[in-house]
Structures are given as C-alpha cells and as structure tokens.
C-alpha cells in the first residue's frame, strides 16, 4: 500500500478519540532555541542543568531566581521570556530531597500546564537522571506531562488542536526512557484519559449501552480480551433483582459489562467491580438540584476498573483481570422502585429499600455476587462513588478504604501512596453489619444514621463471602477535583487507574 494511503487508513482506524500532543525523546543536550523547561534542585546555588543554563545565559538565571525569590522548592515555577536563544524558559523546582517517581511526574505535569495553549513553538524538557538521582525517571516525566495535558473540551466551540501546539521533546541522559514510556506508561496515561473521558461525558451521551459501545471501540484489536455484556433479559434470567431494580426507572436499560483480560495463563484472577450509575438523580428519593449535575460522574468506579484492564491489556501485562461495570441510570418514574419496596438479589438475599438514592450498593451487590460465583477470584476489589459520608470523613483528597483483610488493605494503601492516589482505611466492624438489619427483609439499603461510608461498605460486604479477599474503595470524594493538581487537571480525575495498576505490577505480575 502506498505510504500516504496507509497513513490515511491508520488514522481512520485509530479508534481512540485522543488528540494528543506528541512526546519525543532525545539524548541530553540544550536545544538551539524554542521553549525549554528545566528542573531546579533546591539549594544555595544552582546545580546540574540549571547551573549549566545559567552559564549559557550569562548569569541571567541566577539573577532572575534571586530577584523572584525562586528557590527550587518543589513545584515552584518561574517563567522567563526572551533570553537568547530561547523564546521562553520555564524553571520548575524539584526540591532538595532525592527526586522520586512522584516528583518526576509532578514536574512533567507542571511542564504541561505551563505549556498549555502556547504559541506553537516547540518545547524541550531537560531532565538529567544523573544530576537528580537514579529514581528521576524521564519516562515518568513524560507520563506526568501526558496526565497533566488532559482536557475535556469536545463540546467547546474553541478547542485547542494539539496539532497546532508545537512538539514536546524530552532531552535526557536515560536511553531507556523512550521505550519505557512508549511501550508501557503511555498506555497507562491513555487509560487514565479514557476513564476521564467516560466520566466527563454528560448523562445524555454516556448511558449504559453507550458506555459499552465506547468500551468496545477502545478495546478493539487487543489480544487476550473478551467483552461480555449482560442485558436486562440475561440479568432477569440470573435473578439480578437489585441491579434491575435500580435500572427500572429509566428508559435506558441497565447493563453489566464484563471485560476479561487473560494475560496470566493459569494464574489466579483479580476481579474489579465498579459502580456505573451513568446518572444518579436519587430516583424517587430525589436529590436536590444543586450539584446534581456532578452525578453524571457516578460511574467513575466503572470507568476506572474498565480503564485499568485497558492499561494492562495494552501493555500486555502477565495477569488475569476481569472488570465488572455495574451500569444503570437512577431515575424517578412510574416504573421506578420506591422506598419500602423489597428486592431479591441474585444471591437470594432480600433487600428493603429505604432510599432509592442508596443505589450504588444495590447494583454492586449483584455484581460482587456474580464475580464470586463466575470467576472465583483470589482477590476482589470494588470502586464506587458510594457515599457523601466518605467526603465528610476524609475530604476530597482521600478515598475511603474498607476491608476485612489486613493484607489486601495494606497492599492497597502502599499502592495508593506510591501512585499518589491517596487512600485512608476506615473501619468495617460488626457494628456496621448490625446497622443494615431490616425488620422486613434480610438487609436494608439505607436508614441507619451515623457512619454512612462504613455502613455502605458493610452492605456490599454482606454479599461477599467472609473468606473472600475483598476490599472496597469509596471514591465519592476523589473522583472529581475542583482544585486540580499538576497531574490531575480540574475535573474528573480518573482516580483508581494508577492505584490499581500499581497494585497489579507489585502483586500480580
Ligand atoms: N452517588 C451518591 C454518593 C455521592 C454523593 C457521590 C456526593 C459523590 C458525591 C450515592 O448514590 C448516594 O446518593 N448516597 C447516599 C446514600 C444514603 C442515601 C444512604 C448519600 O451518601 O447520601
Ligand atoms: Mn444515590
Ligand atoms: Zn450514586
């Protein structure tokens, strides 16, 4: 095929709607012009690349740093324009500690945000692992850059076209960085973008079936992957009365989407279940209007687990993972469930509905039951924007972590710390299981006052066998950020993909 036609075909086939700025790698040197980004270690005098650049600019850097009180403290930035031969120099502080993975990612993310909407001039990011320490991985800089470069602007008339943005080259002394990024971390960043896209899409666009369609598109062509979708008919046959109940108020039918990646041969299976409420009005127990729009993101758990499998499949990880996206739209209508209704879940347990707004635990109760009997996973983890209560408990920066098993809890906390997706363990003791007793059914879905996040966790836990290694992450506070950070711009965060990916690398491969 002639090259031009082949390129055209490839472009047409590239299903990902990701328009991204290209990131290239090059051996460490100062480019001859354009924009440059330079790390500055905190200290009395400029060292490493910053010292070299200072010399090249006749001391302009040290003068500017002194004048602007720029010390190189972590995440401090200083932009200088028009110092020859550069149009622009961005200095980014990396602190005085040994530069590790998160500092490198933050540096990359800051480079992206400083570079946002620039003139089209090429940008060179300089990074010396030798000067900054062996953990100062240039692939992590690229990863951070890609994470920080995310925006959701598809419905804006004036969108930034990455093609007009100028190229980005990372100049580093690390020859392996290009392949570590292109064959590995790039896929993880793309998966985070995918999760953010799914979450940011409005409820009129992203509903159970369109979530499935979008996922199929994204996984097309990947090996060792199978996608299975249970529709209402199949769910009825299986007796998934809890999940069906939640979906019954909507004209957009519920789905349970199962994505299975088998890269690990006969090894054990990790099951990831995600809450996928594509819009949560509260149902008949209607929510107030203020901030209700945010409930378009009540499916971020499902997005994160699906995207985690995507990242593993794209990089060809040697693991077996299955994600279960429990999807429904929670609407009030003449066919909706009501408070007082009793539903029979797939497990056979009956559930008294006290609030139709406690719907996440309902869809998950069937999903975790199904995951256990169908896949016998050695570990089961669920992610859900389950309660407002967890936000009151730990705020917007931490997910609540719940488990009956200390080892999986510790492993996940370690991955939370390493990936920068923070989590804090909250209690899950017998008291909370007592709080879900109902006078008319086996369990009640809401009603008990007090520790809402723990009670929600206990509800899901009551559908998980006690010896099943299981953990629940309540991500209601972390799925969206108002403040933004270098690697998570304001908006939906894609929380969980990096954390779960870290867990998979450490404990499953
Ligand atoms: N999706 C919400 C939880 C939520 C609240 C997520 C705020 C993100 C931000 C969930 O379905 C819900 O409504 N939970 C109720 C449970 C209650 C009725 C037991 C809550 O937290 O109020
Ligand atoms: Mn709700
Ligand atoms: Zn909800």
């Amino acid at each position: 095929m002639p090259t031009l036609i082949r390129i055209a075909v490839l472009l047409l086939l590239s299903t990902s709607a990701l328009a991204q700025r290209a990131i290239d790698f090059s051996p460490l040197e100062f480019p001859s012009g354009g924009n440059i980004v330079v790390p500055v270690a905190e200290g009395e005098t400029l060292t490493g690349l910053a010292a070299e650049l200072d010399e090249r600019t006749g001391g302009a850097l040290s003068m500017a740093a002194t004048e602007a009180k720029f010390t190189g403290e972590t995440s401090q930035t200083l932009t200088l324009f028009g110092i020859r031969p550069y149009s622009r120099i961005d200095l980014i502080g990396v602190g005085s500690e040994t530069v590790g993975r998160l500092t490198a990612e933050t540096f990359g993310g800051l480079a992206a945000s400083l570079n946002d909407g620039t003139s089209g001039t090429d940008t060179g990011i300089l990074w010396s692992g030798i000067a900054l320490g062996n953990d100062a991985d240039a692939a992590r800089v690229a990863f951070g850059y890609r994470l920080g470069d995310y925006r959701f602007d598809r419905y804006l008339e004036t969108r930034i076209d990455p093609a007009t943005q100028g190229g980005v080259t990372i100049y580093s002394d690390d020859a392996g960085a290009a392949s570590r990024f292109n064959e590995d971390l790039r896929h993880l960043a793309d998966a985070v973008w995918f999760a953010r896209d799914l979450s940011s899409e409005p409820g009129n666009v992203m509903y159970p079936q369109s979530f499935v369609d979008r996922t199929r598109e994204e996984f097309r062509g990947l090996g060792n992957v199978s996608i299975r979708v249970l529709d209402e008919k199949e769910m009825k046959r299986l007796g998934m009365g809890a999940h069906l109940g939640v979906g019954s108020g909507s004209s957009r039918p519920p789905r349970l989407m199962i994505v299975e990646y088998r890269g690990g041969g006969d090894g054990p299976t990790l099951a990831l279940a995600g809450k996928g409420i594509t819009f949560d009005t509260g149902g008949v127990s209607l929510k107030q209007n203020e901030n209700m729009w945010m409930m378009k993101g009540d499916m971020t758990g499902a997005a994160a687990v699906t995207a985690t499998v995507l990242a593993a499949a794209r990089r060809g990880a040697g693991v077996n993972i299955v994600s279960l996206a429990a999807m429904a739209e929670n609407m009030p209508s003449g066919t909706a469930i009501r408070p007082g209704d009793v539903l029979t879940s797939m497990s056979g347990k009956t559930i008294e509905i006290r609030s139709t707004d406690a719907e996440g635990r309902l869809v998950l109760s069937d999903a975790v039951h199904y995951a256990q009997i169908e896949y016998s996973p050695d570990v089961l983890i669920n992610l859900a924007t389950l309660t407002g209560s967890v936000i009151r408990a730990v705020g917007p920066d931490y997910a609540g972590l719940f488990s009956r098993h200390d080892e999986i809890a510790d492993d996940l906390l370690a991955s939370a710390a390493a990936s920068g997706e923070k989590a804090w363990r909250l209690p899950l003791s017998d008291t909370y299981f007592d709080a879900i007793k109902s006078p008319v059914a086996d369990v009640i879905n809401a009603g008990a006052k007090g520790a809402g996040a723990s009670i929600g966790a206990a509800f899901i836990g009551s559908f998980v066998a006690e010896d099943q290694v299981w953990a629940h992450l309540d991500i209601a506070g972390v799925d969206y950020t108002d403040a933004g950070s270098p690697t998570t711009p304001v908006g939906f965060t894609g929380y969980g993909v990096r954390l779960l990916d870290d867990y998979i690398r450490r404990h499953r491969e």
Side-chain angles (χ1 to χ4, degrees), residues 275 277 279-280 282 287 295 298 330 357-360 385-387:
K275 170 176 173 180
I277 301 300
F279 197 82
D280 181 13
K287 287 180 183 296
M295 289 300 120
D298 209 21
N330 189 21
D357 198 12
E359 83 296 341
T385 47
L386 203 74
T387 66

Side-chain angles (χ1 to χ4, degrees), residues 14-18 187 190-191 193-195 197-198 211-222 225 227 306-307 310 314:
S14 71
T15 51
S16 65
L18 310 175
H187 300 308
D190 286 350
W193 276 46
F194 177 56
D197 275 349
L198 291 172
F211 188 116
V212 168
D213 297 340
R214 185 74 183 75
T215 300
R216 284 196 192 281
E217 209 178 284
E218 199 68 27
F219 277 83
R220 191 171 299 148
L222 284 173
V225 172
I227 300 180
T306 308
L310 179 70
R314 286 241 175 101

